[in-house]
Amino acid sequence: MRNLSKAPLIGVLIAALFAGLVYLFAWSSIFAVSTISITGAPTTETEKTISQIAAISPGQKLARVEPRAIAHRIEDLAWIKSVEISRNWINGKVEIVITPRTPSAYFNGSTMDASGAIFTLPGFEGADLPRVSAPTPELGLSATELFQSLPEEFKSKVISLSAHNQSNIAMRIALDGKEIKVLWGTNEKSALKIEVISALIALEENKNIRRIDVSAPHAPIVK
C-alpha cells in the first residue's frame, strides 16, 4: 500500500522532468545556435544560396534546426551531389558540408559533370573547360572524354567540340591565328590524328585550309 501511494508522486515528477527538458531544449537560450559553418561551396554565390535555403541564424533554438528537412531542400539544387548537416549540442555550432558536382565541360550552354548531370553553377568560371555541343548528354560525355585524353599542348588549341554520334565527333581548333574545323571521327588513334594534322598544317600549300578530315587518318582530306 505504501508503494501504491507513491505512484502519483512519481508520475508528477516524471511529467515535471519531461516538461523541464522540453523547455530546456525548445525554449531555453542554453541550447541555441552559436555559429553556422558552410564548407564545400565552390563559389561565393553558391555559399550565399546555401545560407538562404538553410535559413539558420545565431540565437535560433537548436531543437528547431531540422538537419534532414534542410538537407532535402539543399539537395534540390542540381549542382549539389550530396550534403551533410550536423548540430553540436555542446557549442551550438551547426555545420553544413557540401559536396558539389564538378564541372567537366560546358554542354549546350550549361555545365556538365563526369556522370553526365547537367546543371548551372552560380559564379563559376572555368576557362579551361571544353565547350561541347551534342543532342544528348551521353554524346556530350563522349566528346568530353576525347578532349580529356588529348595531350596538353594540343588540348590548349581546342576551341569547341561537337558530337552528332559516336563515330562523328568534330572540333574547332586555333592554329597560327586561324580557326580550323577538324572532323575527328571516333575517339581512336588520337596520337596519329594529331601527327597528321601537324604535318598537313606544315605544308605550304595548306596555309589557307579551313577544314581537315582525319576520321580516316591514313587518308586525310583538307579543304
Side-chain angles (χ1 to χ4, degrees), residues 85-99:
I85 301 175
S86 62
R87 296 171 294 182
N88 190 313
W89 292 95
I90 297 175
N91 60 22
K93 184 176 182 179
V94 176
E95 290 187 279
I96 302 174
V97 180
I98 300 297
T99 301

Side-chain angles (χ1 to χ4, degrees), residues 33-39 47 50-51 54-60 92-96:
V33 176
S34 59
T35 57
I36 303 100
S37 169
I38 300 175
T39 58
E47 185 173 338
I50 295 299
S51 179
I56 305 170
S57 57
Q60 184 176 342
K93 184 176 182 179
V94 176
E95 290 187 279
I96 302 174

Side-chain angles (χ1 to χ4, degrees), residues 11-23:
V12 171
L13 290 174
I14 292 174
L17 178 60
F18 179 76
L21 289 174
V22 169
Y23 172 79

Side-chain angles (χ1 to χ4, degrees), residues 58-73:
Q60 184 176 342
K61 304 300 181 289
L62 272 173
R64 298 185 180 184
V65 175
E66 301 179 13
R68 287 186 181 180
I70 296 170
H72 286 322
R73 294 201 301 268

